[in-house]
Amino acid sequence: MYHSRWKKTHREAGYIYGSRLLKKGIKLDFQSMLNQDRIDYAKAVYPIYQKYYPEILEEMEGFVEGQGSSMECIYPFLVTMYSFTLNNYCSMVAFKNDNNYIFARNSDFLINVEKLSDSPFYNLDSSYAFIGNTTALMEIEDGINEKGLACGLTFIYPTTIGLGLNAGFLVRYILEKCETVDQAINFLNSVPIGSSQCLLIADRFNNIVECELNPNNKCIVRKQKLGYKTNHFIEKDMAEYVYEGEDDIFSHQRYEVIKKQDFSKYDLNSTFDLMKGKYGFMCQYDRKKGMDTIWSSVFDIKNKVIYRCEGNPSRKKFIIDKRLKFTY
């Protein structure tokens, strides 16, 4: 797993990272992975990114300048992820009890991108610093910022596609721009959504919210002490968007494992054990089928500690990440 660092302005950070990759002989070009539908979608969604998140476009522009390439090589691929791809899974939970306040997420994905995953440290001008984890370059799939706001996504098979920000950029924006759950909710209610996903968000003020989102509907539910999501919608308002194909990623099974836990008695070690699969199926994938848990994040919001297991937690150890200086 890489540990990239991004600093200065968005454009400068993108340029520095793109240049660094180029010096290592890495030049990214995703054009061969695109079809005309994705290219047309990317053109149509550009004004939305320009309105709601222009900084991310500046970061992409800096990146391709550093790579000596063009936006056509990277922009369409990134903004169409989660809407046109069907292979990102995951489980996540946030809970609070008398002694603990923890956010945890397993990232389940294809093993052929395992070595390409990154845990970036973003410390950009006029933004909150945060530690994130991702398989998707500038997009973020889970993380926590300096103010103690944690956020993660779980992929939902898209039954509808619309113009708007996708899951990875929603998480990225929230970590970068929001200090509280209320601020994140205001953003989600205002921005067009382009993909289907669940988000789980927790802040240091003991607020937890579950979000089931797609281009046609937004179901945002505040929770008292516990929130959790896997890879299917459960809210009645999202019933018409439920994917009816085979659940070959064990989403329902993972959901039931989390659901049956008594989190009033949970501590840090219990959380590690849950993510390791000691209480039921969470990460016990057959790698021969090309999929596995490729990292596990545990954010101890109360004690301001970041833990990450780089690999399947049933086989690898959790380590502490000390890069982020919390400011609360």
Side-chain angles (χ1 to χ4, degrees):
M1 195 172 200
Y2 294 98
H3 299 92
S4 62
R5 291 178 177 265
W6 304 67
K7 59 183 180 179
K8 300 185 178 180
T9 67
H10 286 77
R11 181 180 292 275
E12 288 173 306
Y15 178 82
I16 291 168
Y17 190 65
S19 301
R20 187 180 301 130
L21 290 182
L22 187 62
K23 288 178 181 178
K24 294 180 179 180
I26 301 172
K27 188 169 184 178
L28 300 180
D29 186 346
F30 298 117
Q31 287 180 301
S32 64
M33 303 175 71
L34 300 172
N35 57 30
Q36 194 60 47
D37 287 341
R38 293 181 72 166
I39 293 170
D40 291 343
Y41 178 96
K43 291 178 180 178
V45 82
Y46 188 89
I48 296 176
Y49 280 86
Q50 202 167 36
K51 177 179 179 179
Y52 291 95
Y53 202 2
E55 301 96 326
I56 203 65
L57 297 177
E58 294 170 5
E59 188 170 296
M60 291 185 207
E61 289 166 354
F63 178 83
V64 298
E65 183 180 350
Q67 286 266 283
S69 61
S70 66
M71 285 286 275
E72 287 74 18
C73 295
I74 184 168
Y75 164 77
F77 178 76
L78 291 178
V79 299
T80 57
M81 286 185 68
Y82 306 101
S83 296
F84 288 81
T85 55
L86 307 174
N87 49 14
N88 192 306
Y89 314 119
C90 313
S91 309
M92 56 188 178
V93 59
F95 69 89
K96 186 181 188 320
N97 57 34
D98 290 343
N99 299 306
N100 300 277
Y101 187 22
I102 293 173
F103 182 109
R105 179 178 177 273
N106 277 359
S107 180
D108 308 334
F109 200 38
L110 304 177
I111 61 174
N112 60 3
V113 299
E114 191 171 28
K115 294 182 179 180
L116 302 177
S117 60
D118 187 16
S119 178
F121 171 39
Y122 274 91
N123 190 13
L124 301 177
D125 296 349
S126 303
S127 302
Y128 293 125
F130 67 90
I131 294 288
N133 300 291
T134 186
T135 59
L137 197 58
M138 301 164 191
E139 300 176 77
I140 299 296
E141 292 158 359
D142 65 59
I144 186 169
N145 69 20
E146 63 178 285
K147 296 298 183 181
L149 183 136
C151 183
L153 67 86
T154 60
F155 173 80
I156 301 292
Y157 284 106
T159 59
T160 181
I161 298 174
L163 298 179
L165 270 63
N166 72 19
F169 286 126
L170 293 174
V171 174
R172 166 76 189 269
Y173 183 100
I174 288 168
L175 291 171
E176 190 175 296
K177 305 291 186 181
C178 300
E179 180 176 359
T180 67
V181 160
D182 285 346
Q183 291 173 357
I185 291 173
N186 289 338
F187 166 67
L188 292 173
N189 281 330
S190 68
V191 69
I193 305 292
S195 55
S196 298
Q197 60 278 305
C198 296
L199 300 185
L200 183 63
I201 313 168
D203 66 23
R204 72 179 190 274
F205 303 105
N206 303 322
N207 299 304
I208 298 172
V209 65
E210 296 177 346
C211 309
E212 297 186 1
L213 310 164
N214 74 5
N216 295 344
N217 202 13
K218 302 174 181 179
C219 188
I220 299 173
V221 181
R222 294 179 182 270
K223 311 298 289 189
Q224 290 297 316
K225 295 184 177 182
L226 172 65
Y228 52 95
K229 289 293 178 187
T230 55
N231 302 105
H232 60 280
F233 290 139
I234 64 163
E235 297 295 336
K236 291 182 179 179
D237 289 348
M238 303 299 287
E240 65 181 290
Y241 307 111
V242 171
Y243 173 71
E244 296 183 354
E246 179 186 1
D247 181 12
D248 57 356
I249 58 173
F250 309 99
S251 178
H252 291 78
Q253 188 172 346
R254 287 182 278 116
Y255 187 89
E256 291 301 319
V257 168
I258 300 173
K259 182 179 179 180
K260 72 181 182 182
Q261 304 303 309
D262 183 359
F263 286 98
S264 67
K265 300 177 180 179
Y266 255 55
D267 59 14
L268 188 61
N269 287 328
S270 305
T271 306
F272 290 152
D273 286 344
L274 173 66
M275 309 316 279
K276 292 177 181 179
K278 290 190 175 182
Y279 305 138
F281 190 99
M282 289 293 288
C283 61
Q284 296 93 320
Y285 297 100
D286 182 356
R287 283 181 65 88
K288 294 179 181 178
K289 296 183 179 180
M291 178 177 155
D292 200 0
T293 298
I294 61 175
W295 77 74
S296 183
S297 299
V298 175
F299 306 130
D300 187 339
I301 299 173
K302 180 178 180 180
N303 295 306
K304 307 178 187 179
V305 184
I306 298 171
Y307 300 88
R308 185 175 55 258
C309 174
E310 299 184 1
N312 190 304
S314 69
R315 300 187 296 271
K316 303 280 188 175
K317 293 182 179 180
F318 282 90
I319 59 173
I320 296 176
D321 188 328
K322 297 182 179 180
R323 290 175 291 168
L324 181 66
K325 181 180 180 181
F326 289 98
T327 56
Y328 65 96

